[in-house]
Amino acid sequence: MKDNGFFERALSDTVHFHSIYDEKYKTEYLTLFFSLPLTAENAACASLTARVLQRGSRSFPTMKELSRALDENYACSVGAGAFKCGEREIFSLNLVNVKDRYALSGEKIFDRGAEILFDL
């Protein structure tokens, strides 16, 4: 998408994609939100899961390996969180990286960052 603007698309009844593009920023953000009914069990699980996911994954079993992969991808960052919104528990995963056009050798920074995020 070249023009600044907002794009929205329903991928299914329960999955929606929203994109905001603005040329003036040098970074890109990708955030995935998962909505769960608010129960004591869901709130505890979402909060604990957010903390565990930031410590590693199958491909990056230690924090050191995850950190190295992020550093090698122009120091992009990933995070996870959980919060209450009304009667829902919202769990989120996010990625922040430099736009691909700023890569020194034409690397696909966003693609690699998204792979790391989806691995979590």
Side-chain angles (χ1 to χ4, degrees):
M1 184 182 326
K2 296 279 187 203
D3 299 299
N4 295 344
F6 180 77
F7 174 77
E8 183 176 13
R9 183 177 189 183
L11 302 176
S12 74
D13 289 342
T14 58
V15 179
H16 302 270
F17 176 78
H18 303 273
S19 174
I20 301 171
Y21 185 82
D22 195 326
E23 193 66 35
K24 68 183 175 183
Y25 297 108
K26 295 179 182 177
T27 54
E28 296 176 306
Y29 296 84
L30 171 64
T31 305
L32 306 171
F33 293 102
F34 304 91
S35 176
L36 307 165
L38 183 60
T39 65
E41 184 178 315
N42 284 351
C45 287
S47 180
L48 181 60
T49 300
R51 286 173 174 58
V52 170
L53 289 178
Q54 294 181 75
R55 299 184 63 84
S57 67
R58 183 170 288 160
S59 298
F60 311 104
T62 66
M63 290 176 65
K64 182 178 180 179
E65 290 174 285
L66 177 59
S67 181
R68 181 177 293 135
L70 295 170
D71 286 346
E72 288 172 355
N73 197 46
Y74 289 82
C76 70
S77 64
V78 294
F83 59 93
K84 178 185 169 198
C85 184
E87 295 301 314
R88 307 294 294 175
E89 181 71 19
I90 310 297
F91 176 77
S92 67
L93 290 169
N94 60 68
L95 164 73
V96 180
N97 66 269
V98 175
K99 287 185 177 177
D100 288 349
R101 70 173 177 225
Y102 297 105
L104 298 175
S105 302
E107 300 95 335
K108 298 290 185 189
I109 301 168
F110 181 81
D111 291 352
R112 178 64 181 137
E115 287 174 11
I116 295 169
L117 180 70
F118 293 146
D119 187 67
L120 296 179

